[in-house]
Amino acid sequence: MKIIAIGEIDRTTWNDVVLSSPDGWVFSLYEWQELILPVERWGLQERSFGVERNGRIVAVVPLQYSNTWKVTASSGWGGSGPVLVPGLSRDEENAVLCEVIKQICASARHDHAERISMSISPITKRSLTNRTGVSPTYKFGFAETSTDAMVVDLSQTEDQLWLGLSQIARRKIRKAKSEGYSAELLDWVKNIDPYYDIHCETYFRTGVEPHPKAYFEGMALKISPLGFNFLLGGKAPNGSVVAFHNSAKMPHSAVYHTGCSRTAHQNSGVNYLLFWEAMLQAKRLGCEWYEVGEIFSGSTDKKSRGLTEIKTKFGGVPRRYFKGHTERLEPFFLFDEKYDSQTFEEYAFIDDDQFR
C-alpha cells in the first residue's frame, strides 16, 4: 500500500470514496478540508492523505495539525476519522487501518504534536449500525472520550415526529406561528453578511468569541453549491430575518450544524420553529436521520446543561458520538495478531491476583 498526500488526489476521486463509504460524512469531503484551512485563527496545517492499493484509492483520511493546540486531528475542525471504501473484508479493513494509523502517528511525530485526536459522526452509516456503543478508536489504543447526541428517526410520519416533540417544543412552535413567525429556505451566498451579523450578536450575548467570518463564507461558497447543507431563516411578522438554522447533510442523514438568533426574539419560539422545519426539510430531501446535536448528561457546567435540555426536546434517542485521543505517538493495534500474541505469552499464565 502507498500513502498519497491529498494534493496528489483528484477531488472527484476523493469525494467518490467519501460518498460511497459507510464512514463518509460532510466533514470528510475534499471541499471541507479546503474550507477550514484558510481560517487563520485556527492555524490548521494540511496533513490529509489517501491510501492506495494496487492502483486504487481504498481510504481517504482528513487530517490537520494545529500548532496552536499542538494536536494532530481527524479532522482539524469537524469530526471525520478514516474513510474506507465499501466492500473490504475485515482483514482488508484492518490492513488499511494499520497503514492509516502508522501515517497519522508519523505525521504527529514530525510536527511534535502532543496529542492525536479523532471524532466520528453518530450518523455515518457505520456509526448507525454500531450496536456496541464502543468507539472504533479503541482499536488504536485511544482513550475513550465519546459523548452522546440526540438522533431522530425521520422514517416516521410527520404526525409521529410532531408527537415525539416535548410539550414545551410544541407549545413554542404554535406560539411562534400564531404570532406571525415563519421559516423559509434561504440562499447561503446571499445571506453570509446577515448570518454573520446575527452570529456575532448571539455569541457576544453568550460570552463566547464569534467564529471567524471565513468559516461561514467557506460553508456558503464551497459546501452549499454541492448540496451538502441547507439554510433556514426564521422571519419575524414584519418579514425580517431574525434567526438562522444551518444543517449539514449527506444523502442519508442531516445534522443541526450552526445557528443564531436576535436577542429581541429569543422568547418568540422562532428557534423551536426552525428546528422543527429543519427536520421536515431533511425528511423531504430523503434523509433518514436527523442529528439534533450533542448532549452532556450529568454535566455540572451551566452551558452544557442548557444545551442538553434544549437538544432533548425534539424527540429521538441518544446515540454515541464517537471520540478518542492518545498522547502516545507510536502505532498500536488491538486487532494486530503480533500484539495479541505478545500479550498472551507475557500475561496469560500470571495469576490475576497480581493485577488487583
Side-chain angles (χ1 to χ4, degrees), residues 175-196:
K175 176 178 183 292
K177 287 183 175 181
S178 68
E179 293 180 0
Y181 287 86
S182 61
E184 182 180 322
L185 275 174
L186 299 176
D187 185 307
W188 239 121
V189 176
K190 294 179 181 178
N191 283 276
I192 295 174
D193 289 338
Y195 186 100
Y196 195 65

Side-chain angles (χ1 to χ4, degrees), residues 289-340:
W289 305 92
Y290 192 87
E291 182 201 329
V292 177
E294 196 170 6
I295 60 173
F296 309 91
S297 302
S299 174
T300 57
D301 175 71
K302 182 179 178 181
K303 181 178 180 180
S304 296
R305 290 202 318 269
L307 287 170
T308 300
E309 182 181 342
I310 293 171
K311 301 296 176 62
T312 53
K313 287 184 171 20
F314 296 92
V317 296
R319 286 184 174 268
R320 295 299 276 167
Y321 196 132
F322 298 118
K323 301 179 184 180
H325 76 265
T326 181
E327 296 175 3
R328 183 187 62 248
L329 306 186
E330 295 294 331
F332 178 80
F333 313 102
L334 289 177
F335 51 75
D336 192 319
E337 289 187 3
K338 71 180 181 181
Y339 290 100
D340 293 339

Side-chain angles (χ1 to χ4, degrees), residues 67-218:
N67 192 50
T68 302
W69 303 310
K70 304 296 182 185
V71 172
T72 296
S74 182
S75 67
W77 192 271
S80 176
V83 181
L84 277 58
V85 295
L88 299 177
S89 69
R90 185 181 66 178
D91 287 345
E92 288 173 326
E93 286 193 347
N94 287 344
V96 172
L97 288 173
C98 278
E99 297 304 314
V100 166
I101 297 303
K102 287 175 183 176
Q103 177 61 24
I104 290 176
C105 289
S107 178
R109 290 196 303 271
H110 178 269
D111 288 321
H112 303 289
E114 297 176 359
R115 173 181 290 198
I116 298 170
S117 69
M118 195 177 292
S119 57
I120 302 167
S121 167
I123 51 175
T124 66
K125 291 180 181 178
R126 197 186 299 269
S127 292
L128 288 165
T129 58
N130 184 323
R131 296 182 179 180
T132 66
V134 177
S135 173
T137 62
Y138 88 94
K139 295 187 290 187
F140 316 136
F142 282 29
E144 170 71 90
T145 56
S146 298
T147 56
D148 297 301
M150 295 301 294
V151 176
V152 179
D153 180 357
L154 296 180
S155 68
Q156 301 174 84
T157 66
E158 183 173 330
D159 287 343
Q160 289 171 327
L161 290 171
W162 175 256
L163 292 175
L165 304 181
S166 70
Q167 290 185 2
I168 290 176
R170 295 198 296 267
R171 185 168 67 246
K172 293 272 191 179
I173 293 167
R174 292 192 188 101
K175 176 178 183 292
K177 287 183 175 181
S178 68
E179 293 180 0
Y181 287 86
S182 61
E184 182 180 322
L185 275 174
L186 299 176
D187 185 307
W188 239 121
V189 176
K190 294 179 181 178
N191 283 276
I192 295 174
D193 289 338
Y195 186 100
Y196 195 65
D197 180 38
I198 299 180
H199 167 77
C200 289
E201 180 178 330
T202 300
Y203 272 50
F204 287 140
R205 180 175 72 235
T206 56
V208 183
E209 183 179 14
H211 290 313
K213 189 176 183 180
Y215 178 44
F216 302 104
E217 290 174 335

Side-chain angles (χ1 to χ4, degrees), residues 22-96:
D23 308 303
W25 185 240
V26 176
F27 306 142
S28 311
L29 292 166
Y30 195 102
E31 287 76 12
W32 186 263
Q33 316 319 307
E34 292 181 318
L35 181 165
I36 61 179
L37 289 173
V39 183
E40 293 183 8
R41 188 197 304 166
W42 298 342
L44 299 175
Q45 300 174 30
E46 183 62 278
R47 301 291 185 264
S48 302
F49 62 92
V51 180
E52 182 184 85
R53 186 183 66 176
N54 300 327
R56 176 195 181 203
I57 299 295
V58 293
V60 296
V61 184
L63 189 73
Q64 285 80 31
Y65 170 68
S66 169
N67 192 50
T68 302
W69 303 310
K70 304 296 182 185
V71 172
T72 296
S74 182
S75 67
W77 192 271
S80 176
V83 181
L84 277 58
V85 295
L88 299 177
S89 69
R90 185 181 66 178
D91 287 345
E92 288 173 326
E93 286 193 347
N94 287 344
V96 172

